[in-house]
Amino acid sequence: MEKILSPILKALEEGDTLSLKRLLEEAHPQDLLLIWDDLNREHRYVLLTLLPKEKAAEVFSNLPPEDQAEYLKTLPPWRVQELLEELSLDDLADALQAVEEEDPALARKLKEALDPETRAEVEELTQYEEDEAGGLMTPEYVAVRASMAVEDVLRFLRRAAPDAETIYYLYVVDEEGRLMGVLSLRDLIVADPRTKVAEIMNPKVVYVRTDTDQEEVARLMADYDFTVLPVVDEEGRLVGIVTVDDVLDVLEEEATEDIHKLAAVDVPDLVYSQ
Ligand code: ATP
Ligand code: MG
């Protein structure tokens, strides 16, 4: 267990909010997720409330949908607002879909609390099938034009970076928004600043469509060793990116399903008999 976890558990037990807050500044969300299942309900609430908002969002985005819905119902309104702001659009769309299933009125209310641009993007994302690329993607990618000079792209990146899911890959689109090429941040940095994007981009882009099955997305990523894949619509226009973190979740889900199918036994019975 990570060194930081025992003091966190101790502070939770003792209700020592001050120490807890200090410890949570240092904690990594993934470490908290490791012990999440062993925490009692009250301690989970305390953590989700006291964590710095970015970390709270990170933990939250890894919780099962039913739990997400429950937390959005019951956490303090200021924290809910912060979560809505911090979550990346794909995670936000998933969480709101979970709420929608249990409490449509609350889902509507939460959507109304979003700024209009975010709301429109979330509405857009929730139209796609959950098990297809469209349901995994986020529109927070960086797109540039082939005619741009490398120095202009770097300047543009400084502005675009804070809102992008990843800046390591940049996608090149034409005036119609159609995907024309891809380049990496490394490609950009090693290029002469006056070079045009057209000269350094890779025009043979590996991509998926919004309706590509999630297993196929995972397979392509594994085969080509890419951590990000661009997603296009029927007209070949870039509409999002799928990142490997979301695909790993898919593989985990499918592996669990397969194991259950393979086992074809009543699991609880097996565990608790005698
Ligand atoms: P290398 O791994 O060769 O040292 P690198 O570390 O600079 O290169 P990577 O992230 O490995 O960069 O990407 C290598 C190349 O893959 C980049 O030049 C980029 O243009 C290309 N690339 C990234 N995504 C795609 C994609 N979806 N389709 C085709 N090519 C891609
Ligand atoms: Mg590389």
Side-chain angles (χ1 to χ4, degrees):
M1 184 155 82
E2 283 303 312
K3 263 209 308 283
I4 194 157
L5 290 176
S6 2
I8 287 177
L9 289 171
K10 183 160 170 278
L12 275 171
E13 293 295 339
E14 292 170 357
D16 182 354
T17 313
L18 224 59
S19 312
L20 196 54
K21 271 194 162 163
R22 196 170 29 77
L23 288 162
L24 292 178
E25 296 284 339
E26 312 292 320
H28 193 286
Q30 291 308 323
D31 294 335
L32 295 173
L33 285 165
L34 286 178
I35 53 164
W36 197 257
D37 288 342
D38 302 325
L39 295 173
N40 67 35
R41 204 179 139 80
E42 188 197 339
H43 288 170
R44 292 179 187 173
Y45 267 94
V46 172
L47 289 183
L48 279 178
T49 313
L50 293 186
L51 273 166
K53 59 183 178 182
E54 301 81 11
K55 293 183 188 184
E58 180 68 29
V59 169
F60 179 89
S61 69
N62 282 286
L63 300 178
E66 318 81 64
D67 294 0
Q68 292 186 339
E70 180 65 25
Y71 287 124
L72 289 180
K73 256 193 227 178
T74 49
L75 281 169
W78 57 268
R79 179 43 36 125
V80 171
Q81 186 62 34
E82 286 176 342
L83 287 175
L84 298 180
E85 282 161 19
E86 289 298 325
L87 287 171
S88 69
L89 288 172
D90 50 341
D91 294 334
L92 179 58
D94 290 346
L96 289 175
Q97 242 161 339
V99 178
E100 181 91 47
E101 274 162 34
E102 287 181 28
D103 189 342
L106 176 66
R108 218 172 313 120
K109 220 178 86 200
L110 293 174
K111 279 187 203 157
E112 276 161 20
L114 303 172
D115 68 85
E117 193 188 341
T118 309
R119 193 187 319 147
E121 284 171 320
V122 164
E123 299 280 4
E124 178 92 34
L125 282 182
T126 44
Q127 285 167 18
Y128 295 105
E129 296 295 326
E130 237 177 281
D131 57 357
E132 295 176 352
L136 292 177
M137 71 184 186
T138 177
E140 294 148 304
Y141 54 80
V142 181
V144 296
R145 301 289 286 275
S147 56
M148 283 171 89
V150 164
E151 57 193 350
D152 299 329
V153 174
L154 287 171
R155 201 171 319 118
F156 166 69
L157 255 191
R158 264 178 225 120
R159 243 183 322 117
D163 293 325
E165 175 96 7
T166 174
I167 59 160
Y168 197 71
Y169 298 104
L170 296 88
Y171 300 96
V172 186
V173 296
D174 68 7
E175 45 302 326
E176 249 76 59
R178 280 180 305 233
L179 182 61
M180 309 301 290
V182 56
L183 65 161
S184 73
L185 188 56
R186 187 207 295 259
D187 297 332
L188 262 188
I189 285 168
V190 301
D192 181 286
R194 276 152 305 179
T195 317
K196 295 279 192 262
V197 165
E199 296 168 52
I200 56 168
M201 73 182 196
N202 173 6
K204 292 210 199 81
V205 190
V206 179
Y207 64 90
V208 294
R209 281 180 28 153
T210 50
D211 60 357
T212 304
D213 187 83
Q214 58 182 12
E215 275 186 82
E216 171 70 6
V217 178
R219 200 185 55 77
L220 279 172
M221 267 193 188
D223 287 355
Y224 287 93
D225 259 343
F226 290 136
T227 52
V228 188
L229 283 179
V231 185
V232 302
D233 65 11
E234 306 79 43
E235 273 89 51
R237 284 182 304 234
L238 180 63
V239 287
I241 52 172
V242 181
T243 51
V244 68
D245 50 323
D246 298 310
V247 169
L248 289 176
D249 294 341
V250 168
L251 293 179
E252 221 169 279
E253 269 166 41
E254 309 236 344
T256 314
E257 272 171 32
D258 289 348
I259 288 166
H260 285 160
K261 268 186 232 149
L262 268 180
V265 289
D266 193 5
V267 178
D269 210 37
L270 192 72
V271 174
Y272 298 116
S273 63
Q274 97 224 318

Short mmCIF file of all heavy atoms in Angstrom, two decimals, residues 3-42:
data_model
loop_
_atom_site.label_atom_id
_atom_site.label_comp_id
_atom_site.label_asym_id
_atom_site.label_seq_id
_atom_site.Cartn_x
_atom_site.Cartn_y
_atom_site.Cartn_z
N LYS A 3 2.55 4.69 0.80
CA LYS A 3 2.87 5.26 2.12
C LYS A 3 1.81 6.24 2.63
O LYS A 3 1.51 6.29 3.80
CB LYS A 3 4.21 6.03 2.03
CG LYS A 3 5.39 5.24 2.49
CD LYS A 3 6.51 6.12 3.05
CE LYS A 3 6.96 7.27 2.17
NZ LYS A 3 7.84 6.91 1.04
N ILE A 4 1.25 7.00 1.69
CA ILE A 4 0.35 8.07 2.09
C ILE A 4 -1.02 7.55 2.55
O ILE A 4 -1.76 8.24 3.25
CB ILE A 4 0.18 9.07 0.92
CG1 ILE A 4 -0.47 10.36 1.39
CG2 ILE A 4 -0.61 8.45 -0.22
CD1 ILE A 4 -0.17 11.54 0.52
N LEU A 5 -1.33 6.30 2.19
CA LEU A 5 -2.68 5.82 2.46
C LEU A 5 -2.98 5.59 3.94
O LEU A 5 -4.07 5.91 4.41
CB LEU A 5 -2.97 4.56 1.64
CG LEU A 5 -3.09 4.82 0.13
CD1 LEU A 5 -3.29 3.52 -0.63
CD2 LEU A 5 -4.23 5.77 -0.19
N SER A 6 -2.00 5.06 4.69
CA SER A 6 -2.32 4.82 6.11
C SER A 6 -2.59 6.12 6.88
O SER A 6 -3.56 6.18 7.63
CB SER A 6 -1.29 3.97 6.84
OG SER A 6 -0.24 3.62 6.05
N PRO A 7 -1.76 7.16 6.70
CA PRO A 7 -2.14 8.42 7.37
C PRO A 7 -3.51 8.95 6.93
O PRO A 7 -4.26 9.51 7.74
CB PRO A 7 -1.04 9.41 6.97
CG PRO A 7 -0.03 8.67 6.20
CD PRO A 7 -0.45 7.25 6.04
N ILE A 8 -3.85 8.73 5.66
CA ILE A 8 -5.17 9.19 5.19
C ILE A 8 -6.28 8.42 5.92
O ILE A 8 -7.25 9.01 6.41
CB ILE A 8 -5.31 9.03 3.66
CG1 ILE A 8 -4.45 10.08 2.94
CG2 ILE A 8 -6.76 9.15 3.22
CD1 ILE A 8 -4.45 9.98 1.44
N LEU A 9 -6.09 7.10 5.99
CA LEU A 9 -7.09 6.28 6.68
C LEU A 9 -7.22 6.68 8.15
O LEU A 9 -8.32 6.77 8.69
CB LEU A 9 -6.72 4.79 6.57
CG LEU A 9 -6.90 4.21 5.16
CD1 LEU A 9 -6.30 2.81 5.06
CD2 LEU A 9 -8.37 4.20 4.76
N LYS A 10 -6.05 6.96 8.75
CA LYS A 10 -6.04 7.35 10.16
C LYS A 10 -6.81 8.67 10.34
O LYS A 10 -7.67 8.80 11.22
CB LYS A 10 -4.59 7.51 10.64
CG LYS A 10 -4.42 7.84 12.08
CD LYS A 10 -3.01 7.48 12.57
CE LYS A 10 -2.73 8.02 13.95
NZ LYS A 10 -2.33 9.45 13.95
N ALA A 11 -6.52 9.64 9.48
CA ALA A 11 -7.20 10.94 9.57
C ALA A 11 -8.70 10.80 9.34
O ALA A 11 -9.50 11.48 9.97
CB ALA A 11 -6.59 11.92 8.57
N LEU A 12 -9.08 9.88 8.44
CA LEU A 12 -10.51 9.63 8.20
C LEU A 12 -11.17 9.08 9.46
O LEU A 12 -12.22 9.56 9.89
CB LEU A 12 -10.68 8.62 7.06
CG LEU A 12 -10.66 9.15 5.63
CD1 LEU A 12 -10.62 7.99 4.64
CD2 LEU A 12 -11.86 10.04 5.33
N GLU A 13 -10.51 8.08 10.07
CA GLU A 13 -11.03 7.46 11.29
C GLU A 13 -11.21 8.50 12.39
O GLU A 13 -12.20 8.50 13.11
CB GLU A 13 -10.06 6.37 11.81
CG GLU A 13 -9.92 5.14 10.93
CD GLU A 13 -11.21 4.34 10.81
OE1 GLU A 13 -12.08 4.50 11.69
OE2 GLU A 13 -11.34 3.58 9.83
N GLU A 14 -10.21 9.36 12.51
CA GLU A 14 -10.22 10.34 13.61
C GLU A 14 -11.04 11.58 13.28
O GLU A 14 -11.20 12.46 14.11
CB GLU A 14 -8.78 10.74 13.95
CG GLU A 14 -8.00 9.58 14.57
CD GLU A 14 -6.51 9.86 14.71
OE1 GLU A 14 -6.07 10.95 14.25
OE2 GLU A 14 -5.81 9.01 15.27
N GLY A 15 -11.50 11.67 12.05
CA GLY A 15 -12.26 12.85 11.64
C GLY A 15 -11.39 14.11 11.67
O GLY A 15 -11.88 15.21 11.91
N ASP A 16 -10.11 13.91 11.42
CA ASP A 16 -9.16 15.03 11.46
C ASP A 16 -9.11 15.74 10.10
O ASP A 16 -8.24 15.47 9.27
CB ASP A 16 -7.78 14.47 11.84
CG ASP A 16 -6.72 15.55 11.95
OD1 ASP A 16 -7.02 16.72 11.62
OD2 ASP A 16 -5.59 15.20 12.34
N THR A 17 -10.07 16.61 9.89
CA THR A 17 -10.26 17.25 8.59
C THR A 17 -9.04 18.03 8.12
O THR A 17 -8.68 18.02 6.95
CB THR A 17 -11.46 18.21 8.65
OG1 THR A 17 -12.54 17.53 9.28
CG2 THR A 17 -11.89 18.65 7.28
N LEU A 18 -8.40 18.70 9.09
CA LEU A 18 -7.27 19.56 8.73
C LEU A 18 -6.12 18.74 8.14
O LEU A 18 -5.59 19.05 7.06
CB LEU A 18 -6.80 20.32 9.97
CG LEU A 18 -6.50 21.80 9.74
CD1 LEU A 18 -7.72 22.54 9.21
CD2 LEU A 18 -6.00 22.44 11.03
N SER A 19 -5.72 17.67 8.86
CA SER A 19 -4.65 16.81 8.36
C SER A 19 -5.07 16.15 7.06
O SER A 19 -4.27 16.01 6.13
CB SER A 19 -4.32 15.70 9.34
OG SER A 19 -4.16 16.21 10.62
N LEU A 20 -6.33 15.76 7.01
CA LEU A 20 -6.83 15.07 5.83
C LEU A 20 -6.67 15.95 4.60
O LEU A 20 -6.16 15.52 3.57
CB LEU A 20 -8.30 14.71 6.06
CG LEU A 20 -8.89 13.67 5.12
CD1 LEU A 20 -8.07 12.40 5.10
CD2 LEU A 20 -10.33 13.37 5.53
N LYS A 21 -7.07 17.19 4.73
CA LYS A 21 -6.97 18.12 3.60
C LYS A 21 -5.53 18.24 3.12
O LYS A 21 -5.25 18.25 1.93
CB LYS A 21 -7.49 19.50 4.00
CG LYS A 21 -8.95 19.68 3.77
CD LYS A 21 -9.32 21.16 3.85
CE LYS A 21 -10.66 21.42 3.20
NZ LYS A 21 -11.22 22.70 3.59
N ARG A 22 -4.62 18.32 4.09
CA ARG A 22 -3.21 18.46 3.75
C ARG A 22 -2.70 17.20 3.03
O ARG A 22 -2.04 17.26 2.00
CB ARG A 22 -2.39 18.73 5.02
CG ARG A 22 -1.00 19.25 4.78
CD ARG A 22 -0.33 19.72 6.08
NE ARG A 22 -0.79 19.00 7.27
CZ ARG A 22 -0.42 17.77 7.61
NH1 ARG A 22 0.43 17.11 6.87
NH2 ARG A 22 -0.89 17.20 8.71
N LEU A 23 -3.08 16.04 3.56
CA LEU A 23 -2.67 14.77 2.96
C LEU A 23 -3.24 14.61 1.54
O LEU A 23 -2.58 14.10 0.65
CB LEU A 23 -3.13 13.60 3.83
CG LEU A 23 -2.37 13.44 5.15
CD1 LEU A 23 -3.17 12.56 6.11
CD2 LEU A 23 -0.99 12.85 4.89
N LEU A 24 -4.46 15.06 1.37
CA LEU A 24 -5.12 14.88 0.08
C LEU A 24 -4.49 15.74 -1.01
O LEU A 24 -4.58 15.44 -2.20
CB LEU A 24 -6.62 15.14 0.19
CG LEU A 24 -7.38 14.10 1.02
CD1 LEU A 24 -8.86 14.47 1.12
CD2 LEU A 24 -7.22 12.70 0.45
N GLU A 25 -3.83 16.82 -0.60
CA GLU A 25 -3.08 17.64 -1.56
C GLU A 25 -1.98 16.80 -2.23
O GLU A 25 -1.63 17.01 -3.39
CB GLU A 25 -2.40 18.83 -0.87
CG GLU A 25 -3.34 19.85 -0.25
CD GLU A 25 -4.00 20.76 -1.29
OE1 GLU A 25 -3.45 20.88 -2.40
OE2 GLU A 25 -5.06 21.33 -0.95
N GLU A 26 -1.44 15.84 -1.44
CA GLU A 26 -0.30 15.03 -1.91
C GLU A 26 -0.74 13.74 -2.59
O GLU A 26 0.02 13.15 -3.35
CB GLU A 26 0.59 14.61 -0.73
CG GLU A 26 0.96 15.72 0.23
CD GLU A 26 1.87 16.73 -0.42
OE1 GLU A 26 2.75 16.29 -1.18
OE2 GLU A 26 1.67 17.94 -0.19
N ALA A 27 -1.95 13.29 -2.28
CA ALA A 27 -2.37 11.95 -2.71
C ALA A 27 -2.58 11.89 -4.22
O ALA A 27 -2.96 12.88 -4.85
CB ALA A 27 -3.65 11.56 -2.00
N HIS A 28 -2.33 10.74 -4.79
CA HIS A 28 -2.63 10.55 -6.20
C HIS A 28 -4.00 9.88 -6.31
O HIS A 28 -4.26 8.90 -5.61
CB HIS A 28 -1.56 9.68 -6.85
CG HIS A 28 -1.64 9.71 -8.34
ND1 HIS A 28 -2.63 9.05 -9.03
CD2 HIS A 28 -0.92 10.37 -9.27
CE1 HIS A 28 -2.49 9.29 -10.33
NE2 HIS A 28 -1.45 10.08 -10.51
N PRO A 29 -4.86 10.37 -7.20
CA PRO A 29 -6.20 9.79 -7.32
C PRO A 29 -6.17 8.27 -7.51
O PRO A 29 -7.01 7.57 -6.95
CB PRO A 29 -6.77 10.47 -8.57
CG PRO A 29 -6.06 11.76 -8.66
CD PRO A 29 -4.68 11.52 -8.11
N GLN A 30 -5.21 7.77 -8.26
CA GLN A 30 -5.16 6.31 -8.50
C GLN A 30 -4.92 5.55 -7.20
O GLN A 30 -5.43 4.44 -7.03
CB GLN A 30 -4.06 5.96 -9.52
CG GLN A 30 -4.36 6.43 -10.92
CD GLN A 30 -5.72 6.01 -11.44
OE1 GLN A 30 -6.20 4.91 -11.18
NE2 GLN A 30 -6.38 6.89 -12.19
N ASP A 31 -4.14 6.11 -6.27
CA ASP A 31 -3.91 5.45 -4.99
C ASP A 31 -5.22 5.37 -4.20
O ASP A 31 -5.51 4.36 -3.57
CB ASP A 31 -2.87 6.22 -4.16
CG ASP A 31 -1.50 6.18 -4.83
OD1 ASP A 31 -1.26 5.23 -5.59
OD2 ASP A 31 -0.71 7.09 -4.60
N LEU A 32 -5.98 6.46 -4.24
CA LEU A 32 -7.25 6.45 -3.52
C LEU A 32 -8.19 5.41 -4.12
O LEU A 32 -8.94 4.74 -3.41
CB LEU A 32 -7.89 7.84 -3.57
CG LEU A 32 -7.09 8.93 -2.85
CD1 LEU A 32 -7.69 10.29 -3.11
CD2 LEU A 32 -7.04 8.63 -1.35
N LEU A 33 -8.14 5.28 -5.45
CA LEU A 33 -9.01 4.30 -6.10
C LEU A 33 -8.67 2.87 -5.68
O LEU A 33 -9.56 2.02 -5.62
CB LEU A 33 -8.92 4.45 -7.62
CG LEU A 33 -9.67 5.68 -8.17
CD1 LEU A 33 -9.24 5.98 -9.59
CD2 LEU A 33 -11.17 5.48 -8.08
N LEU A 34 -7.41 2.65 -5.35
CA LEU A 34 -7.00 1.31 -4.90
C LEU A 34 -7.70 0.90 -3.62
O LEU A 34 -8.00 -0.27 -3.42
CB LEU A 34 -5.48 1.27 -4.67
CG LEU A 34 -4.58 1.25 -5.89
CD1 LEU A 34 -3.12 1.25 -5.47
CD2 LEU A 34 -4.89 0.03 -6.75
N ILE A 35 -7.94 1.87 -2.73
CA ILE A 35 -8.57 1.51 -1.45
C ILE A 35 -10.07 1.83 -1.44
O ILE A 35 -10.75 1.59 -0.45
CB ILE A 35 -7.90 2.25 -0.26
CG1 ILE A 35 -7.86 3.76 -0.52
CG2 ILE A 35 -6.52 1.71 0.01
CD1 ILE A 35 -7.60 4.58 0.74
N TRP A 36 -10.56 2.36 -2.56
CA TRP A 36 -11.94 2.88 -2.60
C TRP A 36 -12.97 1.85 -2.13
O TRP A 36 -13.86 2.14 -1.33
CB TRP A 36 -12.27 3.36 -4.01
CG TRP A 36 -13.46 4.25 -4.06
CD1 TRP A 36 -14.72 3.93 -4.47
CD2 TRP A 36 -13.50 5.62 -3.64
NE1 TRP A 36 -15.55 5.01 -4.34
CE2 TRP A 36 -14.83 6.07 -3.85
CE3 TRP A 36 -12.56 6.51 -3.13
CZ2 TRP A 36 -15.23 7.36 -3.55
CZ3 TRP A 36 -12.96 7.80 -2.83
CH2 TRP A 36 -14.28 8.21 -3.03
N ASP A 37 -12.85 0.63 -2.65
CA ASP A 37 -13.83 -0.41 -2.33
C ASP A 37 -13.84 -0.78 -0.85
O ASP A 37 -14.83 -1.29 -0.34
CB ASP A 37 -13.58 -1.67 -3.17
CG ASP A 37 -13.96 -1.44 -4.63
OD1 ASP A 37 -14.71 -0.49 -4.90
OD2 ASP A 37 -13.48 -2.21 -5.48
N ASP A 38 -12.73 -0.55 -0.17
CA ASP A 38 -12.65 -0.91 1.25
C ASP A 38 -13.13 0.21 2.17
O ASP A 38 -13.23 0.02 3.38
CB ASP A 38 -11.21 -1.27 1.63
CG ASP A 38 -10.70 -2.42 0.77
OD1 ASP A 38 -11.53 -3.29 0.45
OD2 ASP A 38 -9.51 -2.42 0.41
N LEU A 39 -13.37 1.38 1.59
CA LEU A 39 -13.80 2.51 2.43
C LEU A 39 -15.30 2.40 2.71
O LEU A 39 -16.05 1.90 1.87
CB LEU A 39 -13.54 3.83 1.71
CG LEU A 39 -12.09 4.19 1.44
CD1 LEU A 39 -12.02 5.44 0.57
CD2 LEU A 39 -11.35 4.42 2.77
N ASN A 40 -15.69 2.89 3.87
CA ASN A 40 -17.13 2.92 4.10
C ASN A 40 -17.72 4.15 3.41
O ASN A 40 -17.01 5.03 2.93
CB ASN A 40 -17.49 2.85 5.59
CG ASN A 40 -17.04 4.10 6.35
OD1 ASN A 40 -17.06 5.21 5.80
ND2 ASN A 40 -16.63 3.93 7.59
N ARG A 41 -19.06 4.16 3.35
CA ARG A 41 -19.79 5.17 2.61
C ARG A 41 -19.45 6.59 3.06
O ARG A 41 -19.21 7.48 2.25
CB ARG A 41 -21.27 4.88 2.90
CG ARG A 41 -22.24 5.34 1.93
CD ARG A 41 -23.61 4.89 2.47
NE ARG A 41 -24.56 5.96 2.26
CZ ARG A 41 -25.15 6.19 1.09
NH1 ARG A 41 -24.91 5.43 0.06
NH2 ARG A 41 -26.00 7.20 0.96
N GLU A 42 -19.38 6.74 4.36
CA GLU A 42 -19.14 8.07 4.92
C GLU A 42 -17.75 8.58 4.53
O GLU A 42 -17.59 9.73 4.13
CB GLU A 42 -19.27 8.00 6.44
CG GLU A 42 -19.24 9.34 7.12
CD GLU A 42 -18.94 9.18 8.62
OE1 GLU A 42 -19.15 8.08 9.16
OE2 GLU A 42 -18.49 10.18 9.21
#
